[in-house]
Amino acid sequence: MTTISENTQAAAVSQRDEATGLIGFLPAKAARALVLGGSGLTVAACFLAWTWTPTFPGDLTYYGSPAGLQTQVLVLGVLTALFALSSYGVKGTRWLTPAGADAAIKVAALATFGTTWYTVAAISISLGGPINLEPGGAIVALSSLLTLLGALALPFERPAVHPVDPEDTGWDQFKHRAGNGWTAFKGAFAATGTVRKLPPMHSTVEILIITGILAAALGVFTYGVGTEYDELFLGFLITAGLGFAAINKSGLMQQATQLTKKHQNLTIAGAFIAAALFPFTQTDDQYATLGVYILIFATVALGLNIVVGLAGLLDLGYVAFLGVGAYAAALVSGAPTSPFGVHLPFWAAVLVGAGASLVFGVLIGAPTLRLRGDYLAIVTLGFGEIFRIAVMNTDGTSGPDITNGSNGIASIPNLDIFGFDFGAEHAIAGFTIGRFANYFFLMLLIMAVVVMVFRRSGDSRIGRAWVAIREDETAALAMGINGFRVKLIAFALGASLAGLAGTVQAHVTYTVTPEQYLFAGPIPPNSAFLLAAVVLGGMGTMSGPLVGASLLFLIPNKLQFMGEYQLFAFGVALILLMRFRPEGMIANRRNQLEFHEHDETPATPVKAGA
């Protein structure tokens, strides 16, 4: 059995400390010292005043009390310092970097530098020049720059891999790539002296760790939703994006993923409990409003994930099924503008909305699902536009009087379920819960149903057939899978889930109009944003579309102050994400291997001693 001897590890660490990095002006040992000193100075500078006037949002004039953007820089500075201590092997910090510290230090230093210099630039532009900076602002700018320079001086070497013989068979090339990957993997950990396994933990400890992860996620989400001014939200985007990238480089995200997979049912239950606590963190309905719309958008995205992520059917008109469910529920919910004059209870309206979307899904899917690829996408895009034009023309003038045309169905009454009025405030455990918080809890229950359907269908026989169709439809048909029937089931199931969310949307918005169901627009939900949420979040996964939908709804709402540049900035962000994370933010293992099968591990392999 081959092992790595202590002498080999010591030689590898010594070689690592003598190496130079990207900018090559310092040996690695001195670079780590510069990172540690610079990050410590950055943390200390966060307790100083950065400007002399409270005119800049957040009031950065206090000593000893970080506020606003100072808090974000403080968190990133502490994170960088901890990674630097871990690179020294300080006891109690080694667990922070199970995949090696150098890459994590670089990204964390970049995050600190980015948020700091963004803040300095915002102060200078807002107040009329850098002369408005107090000494604390100048110190933190210099210290973050030194930290980044030290991080860039850390070694960055790629493993030497043997070329593939072009005459090898496909299986031989696969074995060759697997062997190179394993060699690089061993070399990466050997070169950093981090070949170690986590000690076995008691289930209680693992549950406590998962609880901490969920609590941190709730805190980050609540902070992002509750950012009170534009500068703070832009800083939050930099901090959260690069901060999570640094944590991912350290290997902590992979370990967290392993823990959550081990206790998957407990993690899902804990995630719903954490989400249910969100309204209790708010003092009014201002941000609970965003919460309920995010849940609606995320639920619809998860339904689309069945069609696109599991079955591989490109649907560009999926938002129409949301509209069918919303209109169907609005017409039978007692709205005074409904021509039917029917007021069904909520459970019946839910069945009507989901059933109407299911019927439309079957009617549209039956004649079109024999198409593939771009042709199917064009047909579904046409269906989305046909639905919008049809509801505009059924106004009693151009067609029958059903939907009131462009005016839509207005004055939809609030829900009343078993005497619980969703439009009124209620006191729960001493907290006052408003209208949007009531709908937030209802939407959370509906999302639980959708998550259960997604999990059960994905693990079932039909779910495996969807994946087979997605990977290679010709091979799946040759194996005896009825491709048309399998795709029609996916299309109908996804449509019914969208209609289910549409029934709640109709009551939350009070009014349903054709303009709410466009293919593309500045504010979701629309078909383009729904598809982007699935792709960016991670196709075929359960949590990916939920995370993607949350970000794609929150960010455009917070970037409205940018006016005509909003979609430009948003588009640039999407391009960068697809460039550096093409498999999505939360990707399944298959997609991750497909997108990164030719990537090399940034490390130098070390020969192992016997």
Side-chain angles (χ1 to χ4, degrees):
M1 180 177 180
T2 303
T3 59
I4 299 177
S5 66
E6 293 183 1
N7 292 334
T8 304
Q9 290 188 30
V13 173
S14 176
Q15 181 181 7
R16 178 194 66 181
D17 288 340
E18 294 297 327
T20 57
L22 185 62
I23 56 178
F25 74 97
L26 281 176
K29 190 173 183 179
R32 288 189 178 84
L34 182 59
V35 170
L36 184 59
S39 58
L41 186 58
T42 299
V43 171
C46 292
F47 293 89
L48 304 176
W50 288 10
T51 183
W52 62 274
T53 172
T55 305
F56 185 79
D59 194 357
L60 310 182
T61 62
Y62 290 100
Y63 285 84
S65 179
L69 289 164
Q70 288 176 320
T71 306
Q72 299 179 11
V73 175
L74 174 64
V75 171
L76 293 174
V78 170
L79 184 65
T80 308
L82 289 175
F83 286 156
L85 290 173
S86 179
S87 70
Y88 278 105
V90 176
K91 187 176 181 180
T93 62
R94 283 181 250 178
W95 63 272
L96 289 170
T97 54
D102 288 354
I105 289 173
K106 292 175 183 178
V107 182
L110 178 62
T112 307
F113 175 81
T115 307
T116 301
W117 280 73
Y118 160 73
T119 305
V120 170
I123 292 173
S124 302
I125 294 172
S126 176
L127 301 181
I131 195 173
N132 293 283
L133 292 172
E134 285 287 288
I139 292 173
V140 76
L142 178 61
S143 63
S144 64
L145 177 60
L146 291 177
T147 304
L148 180 61
L149 292 176
L152 293 177
L154 293 174
F156 183 82
E157 299 178 3
R158 292 189 178 275
V161 294
H162 303 291
V164 177
D165 187 349
E167 296 182 1
D168 282 349
T169 63
W171 172 245
D172 291 332
Q173 292 186 14
F174 171 78
K175 290 191 295 182
H176 175 84
R177 287 198 299 269
N180 279 335
W182 174 241
T183 301
F185 179 82
K186 291 191 296 182
F189 283 88
T192 55
T194 54
V195 178
R196 59 182 184 272
K197 292 183 179 180
L198 287 177
M201 291 182 289
H202 193 273
S203 296
T204 304
V205 177
E206 294 177 342
I207 292 171
L208 290 176
I209 293 175
I210 293 174
T211 302
I213 293 172
L214 294 175
L218 175 62
V220 171
F221 177 77
T222 303
Y223 182 88
V225 170
T227 48
E228 298 176 349
Y229 47 93
D230 304 331
E231 293 84 355
L232 185 63
F233 182 73
L234 289 177
F236 169 75
L237 290 181
I238 300 172
T239 301
L242 293 178
F244 279 116
I247 294 174
N248 183 57
K249 287 290 186 181
S250 71
L252 288 176
M253 295 289 284
Q254 290 84 345
Q255 289 193 349
T257 301
Q258 292 175 2
L259 277 181
T260 55
K261 284 184 177 179
K262 182 178 179 181
H263 303 278
Q264 190 174 44
N265 292 331
L266 182 65
T267 302
I268 293 174
F272 277 100
I273 293 173
L277 294 176
F278 170 71
F280 296 102
T281 65
Q282 308 300 312
T283 56
D284 54 42
D285 262 1
Q286 179 181 1
Y287 299 121
T289 305
L290 281 178
V292 68
Y293 283 120
I294 287 174
L295 283 182
I296 293 173
F297 187 30
T299 302
V300 180
L302 193 58
L304 178 61
N305 195 29
I306 293 177
V307 180
V308 177
L310 293 183
L313 306 174
L314 185 55
D315 189 348
L316 298 182
Y318 188 74
V319 75
F321 298 119
L322 176 69
V324 170
Y327 265 97
L331 290 171
V332 298
S333 295
T337 53
S338 171
F340 299 149
V342 179
H343 191 179
L344 298 180
F346 175 66
W347 63 267
V350 166
L351 293 178
V352 170
S357 295
L358 174 65
V359 170
F360 271 87
V362 173
L363 291 178
I364 298 301
T368 61
L369 285 179
R370 300 187 187 277
L371 301 173
R372 298 186 186 182
D374 299 338
Y375 303 101
L376 177 62
I378 292 173
V379 170
T380 56
L381 176 61
F383 165 64
E385 290 301 300
I386 289 172
F387 165 76
R388 185 178 61 84
I389 295 173
V391 295
M392 287 190 67
N393 289 331
T394 51
D395 56 357
T397 303
S398 302
D401 185 13
I402 300 176
T403 63
N404 292 327
S406 58
N407 294 324
I409 308 296
S411 302
I412 301 172
N414 283 303
L415 290 175
D416 192 319
I417 302 177
F418 302 117
F420 186 90
D421 186 359
F422 280 72
E425 293 185 349
H426 300 274
I428 301 177
F431 293 89
T432 300
I433 304 300
R435 177 180 183 270
F436 285 101
N438 297 329
Y439 283 106
F440 182 91
F441 290 125
L442 176 62
M443 202 61 228
L444 202 60
L445 292 175
I446 291 178
M447 175 176 279
V449 173
V450 176
V451 166
M452 182 183 68
V453 171
F454 182 85
R455 283 193 67 197
R456 300 298 296 173
S457 59
D459 294 336
S460 66
R461 181 178 179 181
I462 191 70
R464 293 192 293 272
W466 288 337
V467 174
I469 290 289
R470 181 192 68 192
E471 294 300 320
D472 192 329
E473 184 172 352
T474 302
L477 295 176
M479 294 299 293
I481 295 176
N482 188 332
F484 173 74
R485 183 176 65 87
V486 167
K487 290 192 291 185
L488 187 60
I489 292 174
F491 212 70
L493 180 59
S496 61
L497 294 180
L500 185 64
T503 60
V504 179
Q505 185 206 29
H507 292 86
V508 171
T509 58
Y510 286 124
T511 303
V512 289
T513 59
E515 289 75 16
Q516 296 175 345
Y517 309 105
L518 301 171
F519 167 72
I523 299 295
N526 53 63
S527 292
F529 272 80
L530 286 169
L531 184 61
V534 174
V535 175
L536 297 177
M539 291 192 299
T541 64
M542 183 178 64
S543 54
L546 303 181
V547 174
S550 300
L551 293 178
L552 289 181
F553 191 92
L554 179 62
I555 293 176
N557 273 275
K558 291 288 188 175
L559 293 183
Q560 291 186 31
F561 69 94
M562 298 184 69
E564 58 186 5
Y565 297 102
Q566 173 190 349
L567 288 180
F568 172 76
F570 191 61
V572 170
L574 296 185
I575 292 172
L576 292 176
L577 182 59
M578 282 290 93
R579 167 60 183 84
F580 295 104
R581 188 78 176 178
E583 71 274 20
M585 289 177 287
I586 302 177
N588 61 25
R589 186 62 177 163
R590 182 192 299 272
N591 289 340
Q592 207 164 23
L593 291 174
E594 286 179 357
F595 281 108
H596 297 283
E597 63 176 339
H598 299 299
D599 288 1
E600 296 174 339
T601 306
T604 302
V606 177
K607 293 183 180 180

